């Protein structure tokens, strides 16, 4: 699976949009981009994933560049409860058995300030 | 939907004892479950992958005789840390994936293990 690069930390004001970038320049055609977040001392929470098209759900939007080498997770109106480590993960769609893995990097610590 | 639970949430045990952690998918059948470990200020590290009814596949460097994994049903997987030592103290997290939904992994809340 392709590696990802994320900034180690970011700050955002409460109520503003939080835009978290992720570089995945070696992504291949069958690899999805997944986003999870982990609030302190909890298990990771699934946020969103996409392949080529931009995606939106009740939590966030995922913008994937046309060349798919980078993506941005957007939290439209950040709250204090959105303070967490956000992980961008690239995974092959060829799932099955031990080949289905999520490799977690260090992620981005997003701190939402009042 | 897609809720995964773990029990217990915290456990303290003496060195040399064994500890069992349960992971359940509450509203879907999980054909594949995963066990991760996370040390303080570090990221999650995959320990093993288990498929219902078959033996678990362990990642390199993870002792299969020390970390026993059983995935006896489509909704339950257990991790037993045998002969626990203080260095096994960590945050253990399971995740589950079901074929009937997307390939997304859903994670449990984690179990904090402290070995004295």
């Amino acid at each position: 699976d392709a590696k990802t690069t994320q900034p180690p930390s970011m700050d955002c004001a409460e109520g503003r949009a939080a835009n978290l970038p992720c570089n995945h320049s070696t992504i291949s055609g069958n690899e999805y981009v997944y986003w999870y977040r982990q609030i302190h001392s909890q298990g990771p929470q699934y946020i969103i994933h996409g392949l080529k098209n931009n995606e939106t759900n009740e939590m966030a939007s995922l913008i994937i560049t046309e060349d798919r080498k980078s993506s941005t997770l957007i939290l439209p109106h950040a709250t204090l409860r959105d303070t967490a480590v956000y992980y961008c993960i690239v995974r092959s769609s060829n799932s099955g058995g031990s080949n289905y893995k999520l490799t977690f990097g260090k992620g981005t610590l997003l701190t939402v300030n009042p | 939907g897609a809720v995964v639970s773990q029990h217990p949430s915290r456990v303290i045990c003496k060195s040399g004892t064994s500890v069992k952690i349960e992971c359940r998918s509450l509203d879907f059948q999980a054909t594949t479950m995963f066990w991760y470990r996370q040390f303080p200020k570090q990221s999650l590290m995959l320990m093993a992958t288990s498929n219902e009814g078959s033996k678990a596949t362990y990642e390199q460097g993870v002792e299969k005789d020390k970390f026993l994994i059983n995935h006896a049903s489509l909704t339950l997987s257990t991790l037993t840390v045998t002969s626990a030592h203080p260095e096994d103290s960590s945050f253990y997290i399971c995740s589950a994936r079901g074929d009937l939904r997307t390939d997304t992994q859903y994670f449990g809340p984690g179990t904090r293990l402290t070995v004295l």
Side-chain angles (χ1 to χ4, degrees), chain B residues 36-53:
Chain B
Y36 295 80
R37 181 168 53 182
Q38 186 175 32
F39 292 107
K41 298 186 179 182
Q42 294 187 24
S43 192
L44 283 78
M45 294 297 294
L46 180 65
M47 298 176 66
T49 302
S50 72
N51 291 296
E52 185 264 338

Side-chain angles (χ1 to χ4, degrees), chain A residues 36 38 44 95 100-101 105, chain B residues 34 38 43 59 97 103 105:
Chain A
Y36 285 82
Q38 186 177 26
S95 58
Y100 182 99
K101 296 182 182 181
Chain B
F34 307 83
Q38 186 175 32
S43 192
E59 295 299 300
R97 163 184 169 259
D103 278 344
Q105 284 188 34

Side-chain angles (χ1 to χ4, degrees), chain A residues 34 36 38 41-44 46 49 87 91 93 95-98 100-102 104-106, chain B residues 34 36 38 43-44 46 49 51 57 59 91 93 97 102-109 112:
Chain A
Y34 278 78
Y36 285 82
Q38 186 177 26
S41 295
Q42 296 183 24
Y46 166 75
H49 74 282
Y87 297 100
R91 185 188 68 78
S93 64
S95 58
S98 60
Y100 182 99
K101 296 182 182 181
L102 290 178
F104 284 80
K106 295 184 178 180
Chain B
F34 307 83
Y36 295 80
Q38 186 175 32
S43 192
L44 283 78
L46 180 65
T49 302
N51 291 296
T57 301
E59 295 299 300
F91 192 48
I93 310 167
R97 163 184 169 259
T102 68
D103 278 344
T104 302
Q105 284 188 34
Y106 297 95
F107 286 80
R112 176 76 58 190

Side-chain angles (χ1 to χ4, degrees), chain B residues 2 9 12 20 29 32-33 52 60 78 84 86-88 96 99:
Chain B
S9 58
I12 301 172
K20 179 183 284 187
Q29 293 184 326
T32 307
M33 287 185 166
E52 185 264 338
Q60 192 172 9
T78 61
E87 56 264 32
D88 297 324
D99 284 336

